[in-house]
Amino acid sequence: MRPFDYQRAERLTHAAQLTADADTLALAGGTNLIDLMKLQVETPQTLVDIGRLSLGEIADEGAGKARGLRIGALATNTATAAHPRVRADYPVLARGILAGATQQLRNKATTGGNLCQRTRCYYFTNIDQPCNKREPGSGCGAIKGIARIHAVLGTSPHCIATYPGDMAVAMAALDATVEIASENSSRSVPVRGFHRLPGDTPERDNVLEPGEIITAVTLPAPVGGIHLYRKVRERSSYAFALCSVAAVIALEDNRFTRADLAFGGLAHKPWHDPRIADLLIGNEPSLALFDKAADLLLEDAQGYGENDFKIPLARRTLAAVLCEATGVEP
Amino acid sequence: MTVHLKQDAPDERNVLDFTGQSVIGEPLSRPEGLLKVTGTATYAAEYEVDGCCEGVLVTLPVVRGEVTAIDEASVLSMPGVIAVLSDERMTGRPAQGMAGEAPFQPAKDVCYWGQPVALVVAETFEQARDAAKHVAMDWRSEQAPLDPAAVETEESESTRQGDLAHAMAEAAHSVDVVFTTEGHASAAMEPHAALAQWEDGKLTVHASLQMLKFNRAELADSIGLEEEQVRLLSPYVGGGFGSKLGVSQEVVAASLAAMHLGRPVRVVMSRQQVFQTVERRSETHQRIRLAADAEGRLTGFGHEARVSNLPGESFAEPVLQSSHFLYAGENRLLRLEVARIHRMTAGSVRAPGEAVGVQTVEQAMDMLAEKVGIDPVELRLRNIPDKHPANGKPFSSRKLAEALREGATAFGWEPRPRTPRHTREGEWWIGTGMASAARVHSVVEAKARVTLRPGGTALVETDMTDIGTGSYAILGQVAGEMLGLVPDDIEVRLGDTDLPPGSGSGGSVGAASCGSAVFLACQGLRKELAERLGIAPESLTLKDGFARWSGGQKALTELLNQEPIECTGHFEPGASTEDMAVSSFGAFFAEVAVNRWTGETRVRRMTGAFGFGRVLNARTARSQCLGGLTWCIGNALTESLLFDPVDGHLVNCDLAEYHVPVNRDVPDLEVLLLEERDAAASPIQAKGVGELGLCGGAAAIANAIHDACGARVFAYPMTPDRVLAAMPET
């Protein structure tokens, strides 16, 4: 760990001001950042502890039928997953969060921090290995190396890392919105557009600019339906997803009226393909239809040897989720 | 007073069954348990020593090369940095178990990626860690073989009897199959750590080590001291699983730094360094051939394995160890080959040999049972040999048949031929599988001193370690049984080379070896007490602090008359274990659920039935077996070391990416301890138990996967992708 300065932000504007410096990072739960600092993967000059800011509230947003939910950036994963409205109206989110990490980590991890958590690519976390994400231009060790946990969708020749989380995958299915503040302004970005694909700049995980801080994630009004979060992993807890599917599904007269799907473990971001809902909605559920949905999802999928299995696994996991939601017998 | 026994003959007297205190075998809690669960047991790195400075190992990110220059000045100006040590005596590899001599030196001769080559010492840990990343070095590097399948191998062991190829050709039923297992890490909770102090020509090191007698010799030899100048202390060890058998790099480095600086130096390996630099279990490639007659009686047995290690290392994962005697078959071919590649040192990790060698045989046996069309349990029962199939020695004791039968009953095993896909619950295929367990037994020389104190209590002392296994408890119980004392009246001191040298913990030798040393010491004390009473030792009963004999009784305190008596027991293995085949046996039964969509496998329950001689403490023995069963789950489903094909570095080097089973992976586990006395195994009729629970059980899970969904997977671990690839589609 390199020596660093530590500052405690008392106000949001102060925090935003400080983090405008490229060598300054915001510290929330610290479950990812501190580990990476010990490994010298992250080497900030200054840490701004935003933990004391009043961003932990989970509260209704709007009223009546349009009543959404605003989850503060510092609400812990545990608090969010246990919140009565999350459990009642957004169970896919509760399930997604509880599928991630461990109870101890969820007690510390925050909404904003979770969105910003960095990839678990083995080459990213080892500073003696090339990694374009950690050190632009140094190359990618994973492409010719051990790519077991890596992406099959939206990769670039520079980076095949995945976004590792679960919470954001559920939020992408829910079409939630990230609220972002800077010193003088604020903006909103859909979760589906918050994370980036690696392209030529894999060092950038998401669209946050220096000086911007996540203040909340807002969930739209509840849509009902069947909420599922399915995570495939090597052990039953404390393992990142080989593939995960978040689904909000509704049917009327045995036809899809809603099919909001997002996928984890497959790409540099929670993967959402609007064509899948377009394909499903209005049609009767069937194995053949699910297969077509998987064809759409995976038409540009590319494996890197070790992770080729993710392509058929994603197809099967999608089918499993859709069968469970619709009652189609395999 | 010393009582020495070299055991040349079986001891059928079963003395501990007639002593009368009735503490032996009782499921007592560990005396140190409260300290451990309250965080007050002090581990190596936790001692507070004035003026202690902190060392961090500098590692080199090349697979083969030599450090030609280390620029100490490059970091000496950094805050807090005291020194950069690149002493020729630093060790690049850990010592193999029971080596008793220096491991490979010098450290600058780099043979695997991440080898420690130097040590940075600073005032604080953070300063040292930062500086260790910034030490400027010059080195030469070269290409080196990384792939065990791509190099010439050398033969390590070979046994041929009869003509296996002919037996295979003539067999009514046969199996010829290749398995692979991947490398394993010990993955002990406590990282390797040492705190060294050099005072008045004497080196004292708090370390996390399993076998202090050998470790002292290894350390002294590494740095050029006499053994008498070195004291090692490891009263508590937070798990070893083989990785702390031999003295490791941080112990030597901390010692050299303390001697160089004249200040105490602490070195704690990072989790990544533990994974990258201590011993790994070799990956294996195993071909199993089974030839059988129409009823499934084996006529031929073949087990050929390839393992790997660094050049110059004598250790070869002893994959065949139990294959020599587990099953019959007059035509036999067993062969072990070693590939020399540049991964970190391969050595003893959790039941070396059987942990990966029995599970392949047991999966092949399941395939044979399927071909013969009989119950897999019945196939095993038909193939239990009368005597050792290679050397004709009788078995000293063997509970294999009982374990198979009683385990099957306890588990609720359906005795029938297996046909896959008989049960589905929603998305999950449900199946059951079983396997035999076997682990060779050995004992080693051990000494222990027992002192009867004037107050009527006893002190047991040996340098034996407790690596979470229950050594404190069982040694106290042996003494309590022999001396007629309740456990609270016995103090056990372990883990200090100033105490008589025991066996150390490793290879499941500790309980029987050190237990026997304590037993012998107590025999000496009993003889002394009997002499004081003028009676024969056999006429003496010691119970609850009293000596009783046919003529009366006397309090122990009175007999001692204000003076302590002490006796050192000295146990040595002799001909008794050489003239017989001595091993522990058992059986595993598992029920699994395999997801039809994803191939994810979850173990739903497991039963293990084990016979390992006398049970010294039913609670700690059971806990050992529970640990073994848990490792079976990791072995079967999740654990593998992943090496980069380009530069050979270990990629998954933390507990997030090296997947040991977590709580949720471990279901209801049932353990049956089968009462047994093995007269040849040790004077206390005990055999090793620590590793038996891991020896074969992964096959019970593998066979259950097949029974559940029809997937026969030949590569361990059976991750979802591998199960899916083998799963029939319809």
Side-chain angles (χ1 to χ4, degrees):
Chain A
M1 187 178 276
R2 288 204 191 148
F4 60 92
D5 293 326
Y6 172 89
Q7 296 201 38
R8 185 174 289 157
E10 304 296 342
R11 298 181 319 283
L12 182 60
T13 48
H14 184 221
Q17 196 178 19
L18 291 169
T19 55
D21 184 334
D23 289 326
T24 299
L25 289 174
L27 173 70
T31 57
N32 187 205
L33 177 56
I34 302 294
D35 283 355
L36 293 176
M37 288 173 67
K38 289 179 186 173
L39 296 168
Q40 298 205 354
V41 172
E42 298 276 21
T43 52
Q45 291 289 328
T46 305
L47 272 191
V48 178
D49 187 346
I50 60 171
R52 305 285 172 106
L53 301 181
S54 303
L55 296 172
E57 195 183 30
I58 304 175
D60 289 353
E61 176 89 347
K65 281 195 172 174
R67 189 179 60 145
L69 190 68
R70 187 175 187 277
I71 302 169
L74 292 176
T76 65
N77 281 180
T78 297
T80 305
H83 193 275
R85 280 212 62 210
V86 173
R87 293 173 61 183
D89 294 336
Y90 311 96
V92 67
L93 178 58
R95 289 180 174 209
I97 290 172
L98 294 177
T102 64
Q103 184 67 59
Q104 293 91 330
L105 288 166
R106 293 191 298 266
N107 287 344
K108 289 297 289 177
T110 63
T111 311
N114 197 310
L115 287 172
C116 294
Q117 72 171 312
R118 310 218 61 190
T119 185
R120 259 58 182 188
C121 172
Y122 319 114
Y123 298 82
F124 174 72
T125 54
N126 184 336
I127 63 167
D128 291 314
Q129 290 295 318
C131 173
N132 288 321
K133 179 180 282 295
R134 189 186 65 245
E135 198 180 329
S138 63
C140 172
I143 288 175
K144 286 184 179 167
I146 300 289
R148 179 170 177 76
I149 58 174
H150 292 75
V152 293
L153 291 171
T155 57
S156 86
H158 308 291
C159 181
I160 60 170
T162 56
Y163 170 76
D166 295 293
M167 181 197 79
V169 179
M171 286 175 169
L174 290 167
D175 198 14
T177 303
V178 186
E179 293 181 17
I180 299 167
S182 55
E183 193 182 352
N184 302 312
S185 64
S186 62
R187 63 176 177 136
S188 298
V189 177
V191 167
R192 292 172 184 175
F194 178 76
H195 295 95
R196 301 175 66 258
L197 290 179
D200 295 336
T201 51
E203 68 274 18
R204 294 194 60 198
D205 292 350
N206 55 52
V207 301
L208 274 188
E209 299 288 341
E212 288 192 321
I213 287 180
I214 298 170
T215 54
V217 170
T218 306
L219 306 179
V223 296
I226 297 160
H227 289 223
L228 297 173
Y229 191 83
R230 179 72 170 247
K231 181 177 181 181
V232 183
R233 43 187 157 171
E234 289 179 2
R235 61 182 174 191
S236 58
S237 179
Y238 193 44
F240 294 97
L242 296 172
C243 165
S244 70
V245 180
V248 179
I249 305 286
L251 295 141
E252 272 174 39
D253 301 330
N254 198 34
R255 288 179 189 275
F256 281 102
T257 55
R258 178 173 293 279
D260 297 329
L261 293 157
F263 301 83
L266 301 180
H268 197 258
K269 57 183 286 186
W271 192 261
H272 172 77
D273 186 336
R275 296 176 304 165
I276 296 175
D278 293 345
L279 172 79
L280 295 176
I281 287 171
N283 283 311
E284 288 189 10
S286 70
L287 289 177
L289 183 67
F290 303 164
D291 227 25
K292 279 188 194 163
D295 288 342
L296 273 184
L297 170 71
L298 298 165
E299 71 180 0
D300 294 324
Q302 184 193 347
Y304 293 84
E306 291 261 340
N307 68 346
D308 289 350
F309 73 90
K310 283 191 173 186
I311 298 170
L313 182 63
R315 175 177 295 275
R316 298 178 71 100
T317 310
L318 173 59
V321 167
L322 293 176
C323 282
E324 185 180 349
T326 61
V328 168
E329 279 295 323
Chain B
M1 178 173 29
T2 297
V3 174
H4 173 244
L5 173 72
K6 186 165 188 289
Q7 192 182 9
D8 285 324
D11 185 339
E12 310 268 6
R13 294 174 299 159
N14 296 336
V15 170
L16 291 170
D17 288 328
F18 304 103
T19 33
Q21 186 62 30
S22 303
V23 293
I24 200 72
E26 287 299 297
L28 305 180
S29 296
R30 307 172 193 193
E32 82 288 8
L34 188 66
L35 292 179
K36 286 180 175 171
V37 299
T38 54
T40 47
T42 309
Y43 290 83
E46 299 175 331
Y47 288 86
E48 299 207 7
V49 176
D50 287 341
C52 187
C53 40
E54 310 288 339
V56 168
L57 291 165
V58 181
T59 60
L60 197 69
V62 302
V63 77
R64 181 83 183 100
E66 188 184 10
V67 177
T68 51
I70 292 182
D71 180 9
E72 297 180 15
S74 62
V75 295
L76 281 177
S77 60
M78 291 179 72
V81 174
I82 299 166
V84 179
L85 214 76
S86 54
D87 194 294
E88 291 281 320
R89 295 169 290 178
M90 281 183 67
T91 48
R93 306 177 191 175
Q96 294 286 352
M98 300 169 79
E101 60 184 22
F104 185 82
Q105 294 166 304
K108 68 177 181 182
D109 183 354
V110 173
C111 291
Y112 60 91
W113 198 100
Q115 181 176 314
V117 295
L119 182 79
V120 171
V121 183
E123 295 294 345
T124 72
F125 170 68
E126 287 76 11
Q127 290 166 337
R129 184 168 55 181
D130 187 26
K133 299 259 190 212
H134 290 90
V135 175
M137 293 184 281
D138 293 330
W139 68 79
R140 293 189 279 103
S141 69
E142 57 191 81
Q143 295 289 312
L146 302 172
D147 178 1
V151 295
E152 293 277 317
T153 56
E154 52 193 68
E155 188 170 277
S156 163
E157 179 193 340
S158 174
T159 309
R160 285 166 200 272
Q161 265 175 272
D163 184 344
L164 178 62
H166 183 70
M168 290 292 287
E170 297 287 305
H173 303 286
S174 65
V175 172
D176 182 351
V177 63
V178 171
F179 296 94
T180 58
T181 70
E182 292 183 36
H184 294 152
S186 293
M189 187 93 80
E190 182 200 16
H192 292 57
L195 196 171
Q197 293 167 270
W198 174 250
E199 271 171 19
D200 306 325
K202 182 149 187 187
L203 180 69
T204 303
V205 188
H206 292 277
S208 187
L209 293 166
Q210 292 178 231
M211 306 188 103
L212 297 192
K213 169 173 65 182
F214 301 98
N215 304 139
R216 177 161 83 152
E218 289 148 7
L219 178 57
D221 189 34
S222 297
I223 58 183
L225 292 176
E226 296 300 320
E227 282 188 46
E228 294 68 33
Q229 292 175 274
V230 177
R231 183 183 183 194
L232 285 176
L233 292 137
S234 299
Y236 303 114
V237 178
F241 307 107
S243 71
K244 297 166 183 173
L245 288 183
V247 79
S248 40
Q249 297 93 326
E250 87 291 356
V251 180
V252 177
S255 300
L256 288 168
M259 291 167 67
H260 178 70
L261 298 172
R263 282 181 66 177
V265 177
R266 172 172 23 231
V267 181
V268 182
M269 283 197 195
S270 69
R271 183 65 68 190
Q272 289 75 16
Q273 287 177 338
V274 172
F275 271 91
Q276 288 165 347
T277 70
V278 308
E279 287 180 350
R280 66 181 166 102
R281 185 204 305 285
S282 171
E283 71 296 322
T284 73
H285 178 279
Q286 304 179 46
R287 181 185 185 191
I288 306 289
R289 281 183 281 177
L290 302 174
D293 66 15
E295 281 77 46
R297 287 187 173 78
L298 287 170
T299 55
F301 183 98
H303 193 170
E304 296 156 89
R306 185 195 68 223
V307 300
S308 72
N309 209 339
L310 282 166
E313 292 294 328
S314 58
F315 181 89
E317 179 77 18
V319 177
L320 313 177
Q321 211 153 242
S322 284
S323 290
H324 288 291
F325 58 81
L326 179 56
Y327 294 126
E330 54 274 25
N331 300 288
R332 307 179 78 81
L333 171 59
L334 289 89
R335 190 165 60 201
L336 182 64
E337 296 180 343
V338 188
R340 297 293 171 192
I341 57 163
H342 288 259
R343 293 176 177 173
M344 67 282 198
T345 320
S348 297
V349 173
R350 297 186 230 141
E354 283 93 332
V356 287
V358 179
Q359 70 199 32
T360 55
V361 173
E362 288 301 306
Q363 219 186 321
M365 286 292 278
D366 199 63
M367 296 171 72
L368 182 61
E370 193 184 10
K371 288 195 170 177
V372 179
I374 60 172
D375 174 16
V377 172
E378 177 58 29
L379 181 72
R380 269 75 172 186
L381 290 170
R382 284 182 194 178
N383 284 292
I384 298 177
D386 295 333
K387 49 190 199 253
H388 192 295
N391 57 33
K393 289 178 185 174
F395 288 95
S396 57
S397 70
R398 182 176 46 176
K399 288 286 182 186
L400 179 54
E402 292 87 340
L404 288 164
R405 292 196 178 102
E406 292 178 32
T409 302
F411 181 79
W413 176 261
E414 291 177 43
R416 56 171 170 79
R418 320 309 274 180
T419 41
R421 296 197 167 194
H422 47 79
T423 306
R424 187 160 63 80
E425 292 178 12
E427 296 181 358
W428 298 87
W429 294 108
I430 312 299
T432 55
M434 55 78 53
S436 297
R439 174 70 177 165
V440 294
H441 165 76
S442 61
V443 275
V444 299
E445 182 177 14
K447 290 181 184 175
R449 180 169 60 228
V450 181
T451 307
L452 263 176
R453 292 155 155 171
T457 63
L459 173 66
V460 177
E461 296 171 298
T462 159
D463 80 350
M464 175 64 181
T465 49
D466 184 306
I467 58 171
T469 41
S471 304
Y472 285 99
I474 60 164
L475 297 182
Q477 279 171 277
V478 172
E481 189 62 48
M482 289 294 286
L483 301 175
L485 297 175
V486 296
D488 283 352
D489 285 339
I490 296 167
E491 182 189 350
V492 181
R493 284 189 197 149
L494 302 179
D496 180 348
T497 52
D498 277 359
L499 303 177
S503 59
S505 302
S508 302
V509 305
S513 304
C514 286
S516 293
V518 171
F519 173 81
L520 294 172
C522 293
Q523 275 194 326
L525 295 173
R526 288 176 66 96
K527 187 159 173 280
E528 169 68 21
L529 294 173
E531 277 171 15
R532 290 186 183 188
L533 289 165
I535 59 171
E538 301 77 52
S539 310
L540 175 68
T541 300
L542 295 175
K543 190 165 175 4
D544 298 331
F546 283 88
R548 295 187 176 123
W549 66 101
S550 56
Q553 72 169 31
K554 207 169 197 180
L556 212 48
T557 46
E558 205 179 323
L559 263 175
L560 290 167
N561 195 24
Q562 310 292 326
E563 289 289 327
I565 8 175
E566 69 166 53
C567 180
T568 298
H570 179 191
F571 170 73
E572 278 189 278
S576 78
T577 48
E578 290 160 18
D579 296 343
M580 291 191 174
V582 188
S583 286
S584 301
F585 294 90
F588 301 96
F589 297 83
E591 178 181 309
V592 306
V594 182
N595 191 277
R596 65 186 296 179
W597 292 112
T598 64
E600 289 167 289
T601 301
R602 304 291 181 242
V603 180
R604 306 221 301 185
R605 61 193 180 98
M606 272 184 99
T607 296
F610 306 108
F612 46 90
R614 183 190 297 280
V615 177
L616 300 174
N617 178 319
R619 184 190 301 264
T620 58
R622 176 175 177 273
S623 292
Q624 292 280 284
C625 296
L626 291 176
L629 292 169
T630 302
W631 288 127
C632 288
I633 296 171
N635 202 343
L637 299 179
T638 59
E639 287 183 67
S640 69
L641 293 174
L642 304 173
F643 292 91
D644 183 89
V646 179
D647 74 359
H649 80 280
L650 176 67
V651 298
N652 56 339
C653 47
D654 59 38
L655 291 169
E657 295 300 340
Y658 181 82
H659 290 159
V660 299
V662 296
N663 258 329
R664 203 174 171 209
D665 295 313
V666 184
D668 188 25
L669 303 176
E670 180 184 27
V671 173
L672 275 64
L673 305 177
L674 305 176
E675 274 296 331
E676 183 182 45
R677 301 285 179 267
D678 193 316
S682 61
I684 56 174
Q685 296 80 37
K687 293 187 277 198
V689 60
E691 298 165 310
L692 179 63
L694 168 56
C695 299
I701 295 168
N703 296 337
I705 290 173
H706 177 255
D707 184 49
C709 70
R712 197 59 97 170
V713 188
F714 300 105
Y716 290 92
M718 299 181 183
T719 47
D721 49 315
R722 286 174 171 167
V723 174
L724 266 191
M727 197 190 289
E729 267 305 322
T730 52

